[in-house]
Structures are given as structure tokens and as C-alpha cells.
Amino acid sequence: MSTISLSSNHGVSALLDSCDVTCQYGSCVLVNEEPVCECMLGYTGETCHETINEALNVPLTLGVLAIILGSIVLFFTIAFVRRKQKVKR
């Protein structure tokens, strides 16, 4: 972290604190004079490089596959039962 002192023409000086942390999906802010990344919605981590949804990828994929497979099994079961009922008639 570096501090830059600027003087204006009117004799008023301002201190500008700059962050030296590169935040991938966010902006650097000073918290207790320490540079910290303030992440955009959906991102986390020290430099905002991790998405919150990464943890949901596998369970979500498995859930969708289970629904698809369940629908296929249900379809074939219904078709099998109807065929048996037609043979009995």
C-alpha cells in the first residue's frame, strides 16, 4: 500500500491511499488501512477469483441426470404396463 500526497493550488493537501492488490472480479478497498478485495456478487476469495456457484456444479449436474433417467424409466414402465393390459384384453 502506498500513500500519495497531493497539493492543490489553494494549499489544501489530500492523501490518496492506493491499493496494491489486484482483484479479478471486484475492487480493492482499504479496511483498517489494509488492502482488501470487495468482490462482485457471485464471487469470493482473496482476489475474487472463485465463483460461489462452483460448489453447485456437480450436485446440480447429478440432479438433472437423475431426473432425466427417472423420466426415461417411468416412460418405459408405463409403456410396458399398457402393453400387458392390451394383451390381457
Side-chain angles (χ1 to χ4, degrees):
M1 179 180 69
S2 61
T3 303
I4 302 169
S5 179
L6 296 177
S7 299
S8 68
N9 291 338
H10 303 290
V12 178
S13 64
L15 293 177
L16 297 177
D17 294 323
S18 64
C19 287
D20 56 0
V21 175
T22 303
C23 303
Q24 191 171 5
Y25 296 102
S27 58
C28 184
V29 295
L30 293 175
V31 176
N32 296 328
E33 297 182 16
E34 293 292 325
V36 177
C37 288
E38 189 173 84
C39 302
M40 293 172 25
L41 185 64
Y43 293 94
T44 187
E46 282 189 30
T47 58
C48 302
H49 63 281
E50 300 171 11
T51 62
I52 292 173
N53 295 333
E54 283 179 9
L56 296 177
N57 285 342
V58 173
L60 185 60
T61 302
L62 292 177
V64 169
L65 286 175
I67 290 172
I68 292 171
L69 290 174
S71 298
I72 292 171
V73 168
L74 181 63
F75 173 76
F76 281 111
T77 303
I78 291 172
F80 180 75
V81 168
R82 285 189 177 178
R83 181 178 274 179
K84 270 194 157 183
Q85 287 177 349
K86 277 187 177 182
V87 170
K88 285 184 180 180
R89 287 184 192 174

